[in-house]
Amino acid sequence: MKIVKAVFAGLFAFALIVVLNTKLGDIPPLAKFLDPFQGFWTNAEAKEQNPENNLIIKGLKGDVEIHFDDQMIPHIFADNNHDLYYAQGYITAKDRLWQMDFQTRYASGRLSEVVGPKAIELDRYQRRMGMTFGAENMVKMMMEDPEIKETMDAYTAGVNAYIHSLNPGDYPLEFKILDYAPEDWKPLNSALLLKLMSATLAGGSNEFYMNNILSKFGPEITKNLFPDYPYREDPIIPVGTTWDFDPIKTPSVPKLNLSDKTAYNIKTREIEEGIGSNNWAIAAEKSAGGFPILANDPHLDLTLPSIWYQIQLASSDMNSCGVSIPGAPGIIIGFNQNVAWGVTNVGADVLDWYNIKFKDESKKEYWYNNQWNPTKTRIETIQVNGGKTLTDTVIYTHHGPVVYTSQQRPDNFSMINNIPTGHALRWVAHDGSNDTRTFFMLNRAKNYADYRKALTYYSAPAQNFIFASVDNDIAITPNGYLPLKWRGQGKFLLDGSDPANDWQGRIPAEHNPTVKNPKRKFVSSANQFPNDPSYPYYINWEYAGYERSHRINKRLAVMTQATVDSLQNLQNDNYSVLAENILPTLKSLVDIKSLNAIEKEGFSILSKWNKHFNADEIGASIFELWHKNLGVQIWKDEFSDPKTPMRFPSRDRSVELLLNEPNSVWYDNVNTAKKETRTELVNASFKFAIDSLKRKYGSIDKDWEWGNLKSTNVPHLAKIAGFGSKNLYNGGSKTSVNAVSETNGPSWRMIVALGKNVKAYGVFPGGESGNPGSHYYDDMVDTWSDGKLNELVFLKNKKETSKRIISTWKLKNK
C-alpha cells in the first residue's frame, strides 16, 4: 500500500510540474508566476529605497543625475538633450515597460502575438483603421527634423538599454502572467502611442445615426432636433471677441443629396456626453499672489498603471516638470520657471466616412471626379501565438483605408459596429505630423511668443492649449490640424465620388480661434464650442454640454484674491447646472398625491437637495436616475428602431424641450394608442427612479448615497482581476466640473501658481510605478479620490536639496 501511495504521489507531483509549466488556454504557466526566484515575488517593491545607486550605462555622452522624491517621481538632470531623453526613456521603462509594450501592441494590431487567436479580429480592426499607417507617416516627418530625430533616437536607446539590462526573472509581472518577453523599442512605438491618444479622443462616430435620422425624418425635423449651434452655450473664446485676420475662402455648401435612402444597420460607439476635461487660467489681477495661476484636469478612462507618468526634465536649455505619456519623450502637461500650459480635447470633426463606388468585385478601381481611379493595397501580416500567420489586404483610396468591404466584414465582432461597409476613412491621424516638436518647444518656452510658435507644429488630436506666464500673459487656443470644410461637412456620411466633399486643406494655424488677456481676466475650456457663430470657419457642429463651462466661468468671473485653494475647490466642484436648469420644472410637475410612502420620502429628500453631486447625497442619486430615464421616455419610441439605429437628441435639446415646449409632439409614445403628455412622462420617470433604487438597495438609507451608486474605481489596463483599485467613495458627475463617473474622470489634476518661485500641485489616480507589487503602484489613489493635491517637487538644479528626495541615481557611461 505504501508503494502504491508513493507511486501515486510521484505521478501526481510529475503531473503538477507539467501543468504548472504549461500554458492552458488563457491561463498562464502558474509555476513561472509563483516561482520565488523569478515569479511574482521578485517584482515586489517596498516603500523604502536605497539612498544611492550608481549605474554604468553605455550610450550616454556624459553624466546624469536622477533624484527620486518620496513618491518615486524622477527628477532628471543631464548636461545635454541626448542624455536627458536617453535617461527619460530608461527610467520610464523601469517603471512602465509592460504598459508601454501592451499599448503599442494594441494600437498596432499585434496582440495576437501574445494572446493567440482570440485577438485576431481586434488586430485586423486596428490595422484596417490605419493606426500603423498613420504612425509610419508621423515617424517620417519627425525624422526630417534633426532635433526631434535626436530626441526620438535617444529616448528609444534609453528604453532599450533598460530592456537589455533585464533577465527574464526581472520582467514586469504582466509579462510573466501573459508568458511573453519584451521586444526592442522603436520610434514607431512612440508614434503609435500618440496615435492611440488620437483614437481615444476621437470620441466615436455619429454620422451613421445622423444619416438614418435624416432619411426617416427629413431635413426640417433633423435640423430642429440636431441644430448646428446649441440653445445654451458659453464658448471658449468669449462672445464678442474680434478675429484679427482676414479669413481665406471657405468651400461652398453643396446641395443636400437626399436620393440615398439607405438605412445603415450599424450601431456605432456613440459619442458620449459629459465625459470631459477642464482647464483655466486666471490673470494676475485676480490672483492673491500677483501672478497668473493655471489649472488643468484632463478627463480620460482611468487605468492602472496610470495614463500619465510624472517627471522633471532638466538639461542645458530646459527645466520643466509635469506629466508625460509613458513611451513618448518630453512633458505633455506641465510648467517651468517662466510658463505653464495644459490641454483639453477640442472635439473637432477630423474623422469623416466616404461611400466608395468600386468598378467591379476586384476593387482595383473606384469612381471619383467622373473617372475610374486606381486603388492601392496594403498587406498586413498578423502573427498568431499558437496559430498560423495570417495576411490581410486593406484597400486604400485617396481618402484613406476602406476599413471593411462586404467580403471582409467578420461576424460577431462588436468593434466593427463602428464601421460602415464599403466606406473609406479620412482621418487627420493618418497624416504625417511632428507633434513632438510642439512639446519640445513648450518645455523650453519662456513667453507667449514661444507658446504661439510651438502650437504651429501641432496636428492631432486637436487640443485646447491653455497658457500662462510670469509676464502676466494668459491665453487659450483650440489648436491642431483643423480641416477646411464647408459648414456641416461630416455631420452625415459623404459621397466619396464628389470632389466637393473632400477636405480643402486646413484652416491656417494662425486663424485657429484664440484669445489673449481677455477683459474678463480669465481663460477656460470644458470641451464646449470653441467659438460663437461669428467665427468664419467650420470646426464641428456638436460639442460637450455647456454646464461645466458655464459653472467654471460663473465662478471665475466673481473670483478675486484667488489662491491655489480657490482653484482646487473649483476642480472639486460637484454642483450641477443641469439640475439647476430643470429640477424646478420637474418638481412642479410631480403629482405628490399619487406617490406612495417611499416615493414621498424620496421626493422630500430631492426637494431639499442642494444640487451638488456630493458622495453622501441621496438626492443626487434620485435626480440622476430620474432625468436619464425621462430622456429615454421622451425619445426611445421614435429613435430606437432596431432596424435603423439612431441616436437621441442632445442634452441641450432635451432641456429646451422640457422647459419651453410643454406641448411638444415628442412626449407622445407613438407605440401606444393613448397620447402621453410631459407631465405623465415626468411622473413615470420619477417613480422609475425610486423603484430602481428600492429594488437595488431596499428602504432609503445610506446605501442610496451617490458615492455608492456611482461606485468609482480604477481598473487594470488589461482588466487583470485584483490589479485594479478598490471601489472609491467620491462625488462628481458628468454635468459637474468634477466630472467623475464610474471609470472615467480627471486623469491628472494640476494647479500651477507662477511667480518668482513657481509652486505647483498635482495628482493622478494611481502611482508612479506600473508594478502591482510596488508600494508606488497606487499610492496616490486615495489622495486623488479625496480631491486633494500633492505639492510637486521642482528642483532648480541638481545641487538643490529637498527633504523629500529619498534616493539619487548617478548614471555614467563608464
Side-chain angles (χ1 to χ4, degrees):
M1 190 64 180
K2 289 182 180 180
I3 295 175
V4 173
K5 288 183 178 179
V7 170
F8 178 78
L11 289 173
F12 177 77
F14 176 76
L16 188 62
I17 291 171
V18 172
V19 169
L20 290 178
N21 284 280
T22 303
K23 188 173 183 178
L24 302 174
D26 295 334
I27 302 174
L30 295 178
K32 294 181 181 180
F33 175 58
L34 298 172
D35 184 343
F37 302 104
Q38 292 194 346
F40 169 80
W41 305 111
T42 63
N43 295 97
E45 184 181 6
K47 182 178 181 180
E48 293 75 23
Q49 298 289 312
N50 292 329
E52 293 185 4
N53 193 7
N54 298 310
L55 296 176
I56 303 299
I57 301 178
K58 293 181 180 180
L60 292 173
K61 295 180 179 180
D63 297 344
V64 176
E65 283 192 17
I66 306 177
H67 303 292
F68 293 89
D69 65 29
D70 50 8
Q71 291 172 321
M72 280 305 285
I73 294 159
H75 305 261
I76 302 176
F77 291 86
D79 296 331
N80 58 78
N81 287 325
H82 172 275
D83 288 356
L84 179 70
Y85 294 115
Y86 190 106
Q88 185 187 8
Y90 185 94
I91 213 69
T92 305
K94 177 189 80 71
D95 284 330
R96 300 293 187 88
L97 180 59
W98 176 78
Q99 177 186 14
M100 293 159 59
D101 180 278
F102 180 83
Q103 288 187 310
T104 53
R105 285 181 181 275
Y106 172 80
S108 60
R110 295 183 55 211
L111 284 179
S112 296
E113 296 176 18
V114 175
V115 302
K118 68 180 182 180
I120 288 173
E121 290 304 335
L122 175 59
D123 286 349
R124 289 182 72 224
Y125 170 84
Q126 292 293 83
R127 292 168 186 245
R128 289 183 156 278
M129 288 290 288
M131 295 289 285
T132 302
F133 171 69
E136 290 169 350
N137 291 333
M138 185 182 207
V139 170
K140 288 177 185 176
M141 188 166 286
M142 288 194 297
M143 291 307 177
E144 293 173 357
D145 182 331
E147 277 187 319
I148 301 306
K149 182 180 187 302
E150 180 190 40
T151 299
M152 300 301 297
D153 287 345
Y155 187 91
T156 297
V159 174
N160 288 331
Y162 179 73
I163 293 173
H164 297 161
S165 74
L166 298 176
N167 295 312
D170 302 321
Y171 290 164
L173 180 59
E174 289 91 344
F175 284 107
K176 299 173 184 178
I177 292 176
L178 298 172
D179 194 29
Y180 77 108
E183 62 182 12
D184 278 5
W185 196 257
K186 303 178 183 67
L188 179 66
N189 295 60
S190 297
L192 280 164
L193 290 171
L194 296 173
K195 295 301 178 184
L196 184 60
M197 188 63 77
S198 288
T200 299
L201 294 175
S205 302
N206 278 333
E207 296 100 307
F208 324 119
Y209 294 115
M210 293 305 302
N211 253 57
N212 287 342
I213 291 166
L214 181 63
S215 178
K216 179 175 180 178
F217 295 106
E220 187 175 337
I221 290 177
T222 301
K223 185 176 181 179
N224 177 273
L225 294 183
F226 301 89
D228 290 339
Y229 198 78
Y231 288 90
R232 295 157 191 80
E233 189 53 282
D234 203 332
I236 294 171
I237 309 303
V239 175
T241 300
T242 57
W243 310 109
D244 58 351
F245 55 79
D246 293 324
I248 64 173
K249 184 179 179 180
T250 57
S252 300
V253 180
K255 185 178 180 180
L256 186 63
N257 180 11
L258 296 178
S259 60
D260 182 7
K261 296 293 185 180
T262 305
Y264 291 89
N265 189 12
I266 302 165
K267 290 195 70 176
T268 71
R269 180 169 67 93
E270 185 180 338
I271 296 173
E272 189 173 349
E273 287 191 283
I275 294 178
S277 310
N278 310 301
N279 60 19
W280 58 82
I282 61 170
E285 293 91 331
K286 282 185 171 287
S287 166
F291 287 92
I293 309 176
L294 181 144
N296 191 193
D297 55 293
H299 290 227
L300 294 164
D301 286 337
L302 308 176
T303 66
L304 288 171
S306 292
I307 296 164
W308 302 104
Y309 184 75
Q310 195 174 327
I311 199 165
Q312 181 179 356
L313 299 174
S315 68
S316 56
D317 67 344
M318 69 169 283
N319 186 1
S320 292
C321 189
V323 289
S324 63
I325 295 175
I331 290 169
I332 305 298
I333 302 171
F335 64 95
N336 58 38
Q337 188 62 53
N338 299 298
V339 307
W341 68 93
V343 296
T344 63
N345 195 34
V346 171
D349 188 5
V350 295
L351 184 157
D352 288 334
W353 293 97
Y354 291 83
N355 187 29
I356 301 301
K357 178 183 177 182
F358 292 106
K359 185 175 183 179
D360 52 41
E361 287 302 312
S362 70
K363 296 180 174 57
K364 292 182 178 180
E365 294 180 272
Y366 69 104
W367 188 252
Y368 171 74
N369 199 18
N370 296 316
Q371 65 182 22
W372 295 110
N373 297 267
T375 59
K376 296 179 180 179
T377 56
R378 179 182 171 101
I379 308 299
E380 299 285 355
T381 302
I382 303 174
Q383 297 177 4
V384 183
N385 185 15
K388 295 181 179 180
T389 298
L390 306 174
T391 58
D392 194 26
T393 301
V394 185
I395 299 168
Y396 278 73
T397 70
H398 77 285
H399 300 292
V402 180
V403 181
Y404 286 103
T405 66
S406 56
Q407 294 89 348
Q408 295 168 331
R409 195 176 184 90
D411 297 325
N412 302 319
F413 181 62
S414 61
M415 288 190 74
I416 67 167
N417 289 338
N418 281 331
I419 312 302
T421 302
H423 282 67
L425 171 62
R426 177 69 177 101
W427 185 20
V428 71
H430 290 154
D431 298 350
S433 62
N434 191 10
D435 302 323
T436 300
R437 172 155 286 283
T438 294
F439 300 105
F440 184 91
M441 295 176 70
L442 282 175
N443 291 182
R444 294 162 173 78
K446 293 181 173 60
N447 51 44
Y448 174 80
D450 291 345
Y451 154 79
R452 290 294 296 171
K453 180 66 175 176
L455 297 194
T456 63
Y457 293 93
Y458 188 79
S459 280
Q463 296 289 290
N464 298 304
F465 281 85
I466 200 161
F467 170 85
S469 74
V470 291
D471 297 332
N472 292 334
D473 287 326
I474 59 172
I476 192 166
T477 307
N479 186 68
Y481 186 110
L482 303 178
L484 186 62
K485 296 182 173 187
W486 42 266
R487 195 163 297 277
Q489 185 175 350
K491 186 173 184 176
F492 307 97
L493 294 171
L494 296 165
D495 178 2
S497 68
D498 188 350
N501 292 327
D502 287 3
W503 295 357
Q504 305 300 314
R506 66 174 292 178
I507 297 172
E510 62 273 20
H511 293 186
N512 287 351
T514 188
V515 65
K516 176 188 179 186
N517 299 330
K519 293 180 181 179
R520 63 187 186 181
K521 306 300 181 185
F522 68 86
V523 290
S524 70
S525 76
N527 312 115
Q528 78 272 37
F529 259 81
N531 46 267
D532 67 12
S534 70
Y535 182 63
Y537 302 106
Y538 172 75
I539 301 176
N540 204 350
W541 69 278
E542 187 175 38
Y543 295 85
Y546 92 114
E547 292 90 354
R548 286 182 294 114
S549 60
H550 184 68
R551 176 66 173 174
I552 291 167
N553 291 346
K554 191 174 181 179
R555 288 195 58 180
L556 291 177
V558 299
M559 198 173 283
T560 59
Q561 293 295 302
T563 64
V564 168
D565 287 344
S566 308
L567 300 196
Q568 183 181 352
N569 289 337
L570 182 51
Q571 284 185 334
N572 289 299
D573 189 304
N574 293 329
Y575 184 78
S576 172
V577 172
L578 175 66
E580 176 187 296
N581 285 340
I582 68 172
L583 189 56
T585 296
L586 297 186
K587 289 193 301 183
S588 71
L589 296 173
V590 173
D591 180 6
I592 299 175
K593 294 179 181 179
S594 71
L595 304 181
N596 61 29
I598 193 170
E599 290 166 352
K600 287 181 179 177
E601 184 180 358
F603 186 80
S604 175
I605 291 171
L606 193 63
S607 297
K608 299 173 185 175
W609 178 48
N610 60 10
K611 303 180 184 65
H612 284 78
F613 274 82
N614 298 331
D616 60 355
E617 292 287 351
I618 294 175
S621 299
I622 298 172
F623 175 75
E624 183 71 6
L625 294 182
W626 188 7
H627 85 79
K628 279 188 173 181
N629 183 257
L630 181 56
V632 172
Q633 296 264 10
I634 294 170
W635 304 116
K636 183 178 180 180
D637 55 319
E638 285 96 353
F639 291 88
S640 295
D641 183 350
K643 296 180 180 179
T644 310
M646 292 175 283
R647 52 160 290 188
F648 290 178
S650 69
R651 184 170 62 243
D652 177 72
R653 187 64 184 88
S654 296
V655 170
E656 179 66 13
L657 191 82
L658 285 167
L659 298 185
N660 298 320
E661 301 175 35
N663 300 314
S664 172
V665 297
W666 299 108
Y667 298 119
D668 179 41
N669 187 338
V670 298
N671 298 319
T672 66
K674 181 178 179 294
K675 184 177 180 180
E676 286 78 15
T677 66
R678 180 180 67 163
T679 298
E680 288 172 331
L681 296 192
V682 166
N683 279 270
S685 296
F686 177 75
K687 293 185 177 186
F688 170 87
I690 298 296
D691 185 62
S692 297
L693 289 165
K694 179 184 176 183
R695 287 173 180 270
K696 186 170 184 177
Y697 298 117
S699 300
I700 297 178
D701 60 14
K702 289 181 67 66
D703 290 342
W704 284 46
E705 292 176 353
W706 174 238
N708 293 323
L709 180 64
K710 180 160 64 76
S711 191
T712 299
N713 66 93
V714 186
H716 182 260
L717 179 61
K719 304 297 189 289
I720 296 177
F723 288 179
S725 78
K726 62 187 177 183
N727 279 344
L728 304 170
Y729 182 78
N730 53 35
S733 74
K734 292 180 180 181
T735 60
S736 306
V737 177
N738 184 27
V740 179
S741 57
E742 183 181 3
T743 57
N744 186 284
S747 58
W748 164 245
R749 289 193 186 105
M750 180 185 77
I751 299 177
V752 181
L754 292 165
K756 293 180 180 179
N757 292 300
V758 60
K759 291 284 188 181
Y761 306 80
V763 69
F764 54 68
E768 193 72 346
S769 175
N771 175 10
S774 170
H775 166 80
Y776 300 100
Y777 176 68
D778 59 359
D779 59 311
M780 290 188 264
V781 168
D782 287 340
T783 303
W784 173 87
S785 182
D786 292 341
K788 299 176 182 177
L789 299 171
N790 297 315
E791 183 172 355
L792 306 185
V793 175
F794 180 60
L795 303 176
K796 294 179 181 178
N797 56 66
K798 65 182 179 183
K799 294 182 179 180
E800 183 179 1
T801 60
S802 169
K803 293 180 180 179
R804 292 180 58 189
I805 299 301
I806 62 173
S807 179
T808 297
W809 287 20
K810 294 184 178 181
L811 281 54
K812 297 179 180 292
N813 188 25
K814 59 182 179 178

